[in-house]
Amino acid sequence: MGSPWAQEALRLVVLLVLGVFLGGLAGNVLLGSLIAALVFSGYQLLQMHRFAKWSASKKKVVLNQKGGWGELSYEYLKLQKKSRARKKKLGKILKRFRESTHALPDPAVLLNSRDEIEWFNKAAELMLGLNYKDRGQIVSNIIRAPKFAGLLQNNKGNASLEIRSPVDDAKSLELRLVEFKNQRLLVARDTTHIHHLMNMRQQFVANVSHELRTPLTVVLGYLEILSDDESLGKEYRERIDKMLKPATRMKTIVGDLLTLSTLDTAEPPLLDKCPEVKVSGLLNSLMIDMELLNSGRHAIKVDIQSNLMLRAVDSELYSVFSNLISNAIKYTPDGTQISVRWYEANGKAIFEVHDTGQGIEQEHLPRLTERFYRIDVGRSRDKGGTGLGLAIVKQILRRHDSELEISSEVGQGSCFSCEFPSPRVVFSTSSD
Ligand code: ADP
């Protein structure tokens, strides 16, 4: 007989017909049909009650009812089964996810929008020292590194940061924050072995440079003596002069390599330990050497804010300024205008060397500070360059919370500048 709901409708119709018939016999059709409707509603109420009891119980069989309510319980049970199967599947996926994240060798910590720890894997327990009590805690209260608090507040793009492992001081960790929706994933990577390799490389370069320096100094010394020896024939002295040039270059390279390896390994100078350098004095004396190098080939304009001082290591600052100015002198054609500026803007100190030379093609700009990168190797050699000058500049600036900015346009010239943050800036009150 039709659908279960048709059965329910038939039941209502039969009851109504019976009610009307009996009501007619009793002389009140309306009362008869009203009683029939009441009986039907009462029956439905009872079924509803049975259904509610059944759905609350853990029964897994279809409700033994005919008509719509039996059908409803069947559909309900089907849905329940489906949802149980889905839950089981999700549970399995979650279990597998947990197992795989726990097997991850790198620490991972899930943070909510308030930077509270929601979840972490086994590696985070081992390397970051987290335990179950740390759930719900603000992560910066657990990983106590000032730099880390900075990263949490100001996480830019792909920024990362190195810290010592809170559980093992000998280990270095690289931390990175991955943002998604309202949450963040803190991932860490053990970089101890990379540091070890870098140290080995730096040590190797430093040792080789040290080993080469002494014999080179001896060879150069003898070559210089021989080159000045009038008793030797002109032909001999010319040959000696030819040997002097590459030997001097080698000495410069060795010197630059040693400078770089010192800068690589030495801890950056602490701001409050840095002396206040009178930059105007330093630049004035540097310009005397630079004018000698220039020997009138270019017009050099110098604009120095004399009261602007900087907390820095003066020898390192000297190296940055002389590299940038000498590059402008060496790598631009005669008659170029060079302008050297030292000034304050928005509380920051800015050093700028601008030239109207031939400029540098854009493709070279990002690579200029790489070690041994030169645009024209032959030309750089002729000018006594080692390809290490801008690498040294970059390293020194990093140690002084600054970085090198390079802009250039072919045919227009180049500008090399750096900006020192306000905590390093000091204004002298004396006029000298
Ligand atoms: P180097 O020690 O050989 O001078 P640098 O690292 O100082 O090397 O510079 C790298 C390269 O950048 C140079 O070989 C030169 O080609 C280019 N360069 C640097 N400054 C300028 C400039 N002001 N104008 C044009 N080219 C420049």
Side-chain angles (χ1 to χ4, degrees):
M1 154 104 219
S3 89
W5 293 107
Q7 281 179 28
E8 290 295 330
L10 188 69
R11 198 169 283 155
L12 176 64
V13 170
V14 169
L15 262 173
L16 276 175
V17 170
L18 204 66
V20 169
F21 176 68
L22 290 176
L25 283 183
N28 194 337
V29 176
L30 194 70
L31 185 70
S33 51
L34 200 72
I35 290 173
L38 269 174
V39 169
F40 185 77
S41 309
Y43 169 76
Q44 291 302 333
L45 255 175
L46 188 75
Q47 297 302 319
M48 212 186 286
H49 173 68
R50 281 183 66 197
F51 182 80
K53 254 176 83 180
W54 172 86
S55 63
S57 73
K58 288 187 175 157
K59 263 195 193 113
K60 287 198 172 71
V61 284
V62 182
L63 187 60
N64 189 17
Q65 273 176 325
K66 287 205 171 75
W69 292 97
E71 168 82 1
L72 203 64
S73 71
Y74 172 72
E75 291 298 331
Y76 178 86
L77 212 64
K78 237 168 68 180
L79 251 164
Q80 208 179 35
K81 266 189 190 160
K82 249 192 208 166
S83 120
R84 278 208 192 107
R86 202 178 305 137
K87 237 183 183 170
K88 217 166 152 188
K89 202 172 154 194
L90 274 175
K92 270 190 191 160
I93 293 175
L94 201 68
K95 195 170 163 230
R96 244 182 296 152
F97 169 75
R98 286 223 173 99
E99 280 167 1
S100 53
T101 48
H102 282 315
L104 268 180
D106 294 335
V109 184
L110 186 65
L111 307 175
N112 64 17
S113 55
R114 294 183 297 280
D115 287 335
E116 290 160 350
I117 299 173
E118 285 207 336
W119 167 91
F120 49 85
N121 66 354
K122 267 256 147 10
E125 282 178 38
L126 297 173
M127 289 194 227
L128 295 170
L130 299 184
N131 67 48
Y132 71 96
K133 286 190 214 140
D134 297 328
R135 289 223 172 103
Q137 300 278 343
I138 293 183
V139 68
S140 52
N141 290 344
I142 312 290
I143 302 171
R144 294 190 152 275
K147 282 192 287 181
F148 178 58
L151 181 74
L152 279 176
Q153 275 167 18
N154 191 20
N155 179 39
K156 272 193 234 142
N158 224 8
S160 67
L161 119 99
E162 292 257 343
I163 61 161
R164 295 245 165 259
S165 160
V167 281
D168 184 354
D169 209 39
K171 282 202 155 111
S172 326
L173 296 177
E174 184 194 56
L175 303 183
R176 203 178 284 271
L177 276 174
V178 183
E179 313 262 348
F180 64 100
K181 293 220 165 152
N182 253 352
Q183 297 200 296
R184 311 210 238 188
L185 187 69
L186 170 68
V187 278
R189 195 164 63 105
D190 187 350
T191 48
T192 318
H193 63 291
I194 298 174
H195 279 275
H196 186 63
L197 282 175
M198 297 256 286
N199 279 345
M200 269 172 59
R201 193 192 73 174
Q202 278 159 5
Q203 278 299 321
F204 175 75
V205 174
N207 289 342
V208 170
S209 313
H210 263 297
E211 293 299 324
L212 282 175
R213 193 161 65 166
T214 318
L216 253 176
T217 313
V218 175
V219 171
L220 255 175
Y222 276 113
L223 284 176
E224 273 162 11
I225 293 168
L226 288 173
S227 145
D228 290 340
D229 191 344
E230 302 277 338
S231 64
L232 290 171
K234 188 174 167 254
E235 201 181 323
Y236 270 109
R237 287 198 9 232
E238 271 174 13
R239 283 182 192 160
I240 287 162
D241 283 345
K242 273 192 183 150
M243 284 192 273
L244 253 174
K245 209 176 165 193
T248 312
R249 224 177 81 73
M250 268 173 84
K251 199 179 171 212
T252 320
I253 293 177
V254 167
D256 279 358
L257 278 173
L258 274 172
T259 308
L260 261 176
S261 75
T262 313
L263 291 170
D264 285 341
T265 45
E267 285 292 319
L270 289 172
L271 182 60
D272 50 358
K273 296 269 182 323
C274 280
E276 294 173 2
V277 179
K278 190 160 186 342
V279 178
S280 58
L282 184 139
L283 273 172
N284 283 333
S285 69
L286 169 67
M287 284 321 294
I288 299 171
D289 293 342
M290 291 297 117
E291 284 297 355
L292 279 176
L293 178 71
N294 182 39
S295 53
R297 287 191 300 122
H298 310 292
I300 306 182
K301 192 173 153 235
V302 185
D303 182 2
I304 302 170
Q305 185 173 328
S306 58
N307 68 339
L308 185 59
M309 296 166 65
L310 196 74
R311 285 182 209 279
V313 178
D314 54 356
S315 56
E316 293 186 13
L317 215 53
Y318 189 94
S319 179
V320 169
F321 297 166
S322 67
N323 259 305
L324 296 181
I325 302 170
S326 64
N327 274 355
I329 296 171
K330 283 189 298 187
Y331 298 116
T332 54
D334 288 0
T336 297
Q337 295 195 356
I338 299 172
S339 113
V340 178
R341 284 183 77 202
W342 171 246
Y343 63 100
E344 180 263 335
N346 299 324
K348 293 170 182 168
I350 296 164
F351 178 74
E352 198 176 276
V353 180
H354 183 267
D355 68 64
T356 57
Q358 73 278 45
I360 304 164
E361 275 149 4
Q362 295 298 309
E363 74 212 58
H364 296 297
L365 297 185
R367 301 199 58 191
L368 284 185
T369 54
E370 281 175 23
R371 290 168 196 203
F372 292 111
Y373 188 84
R374 281 157 292 183
I375 299 170
D376 180 339
V377 179
R379 186 147 183 259
S380 163
R381 269 192 199 142
D382 286 346
K383 304 275 175 187
T386 59
L388 293 170
L390 291 181
I392 292 175
V393 168
K394 178 183 171 179
Q395 203 60 330
I396 294 177
L397 290 180
R398 187 183 290 166
R399 287 160 59 80
H400 287 80
D401 316 309
S402 176
E403 56 187 69
L404 184 64
E405 301 280 341
I406 311 172
S407 59
S408 188
E409 223 170 292
V410 176
Q412 302 287 313
S414 315
C415 183
F416 290 73
S417 67
C418 53
E419 199 177 82
F420 297 93
S422 48
R424 291 200 168 265
V425 177
V426 183
F427 293 96
S428 84
T429 41
S430 66
S431 53
D432 53 35

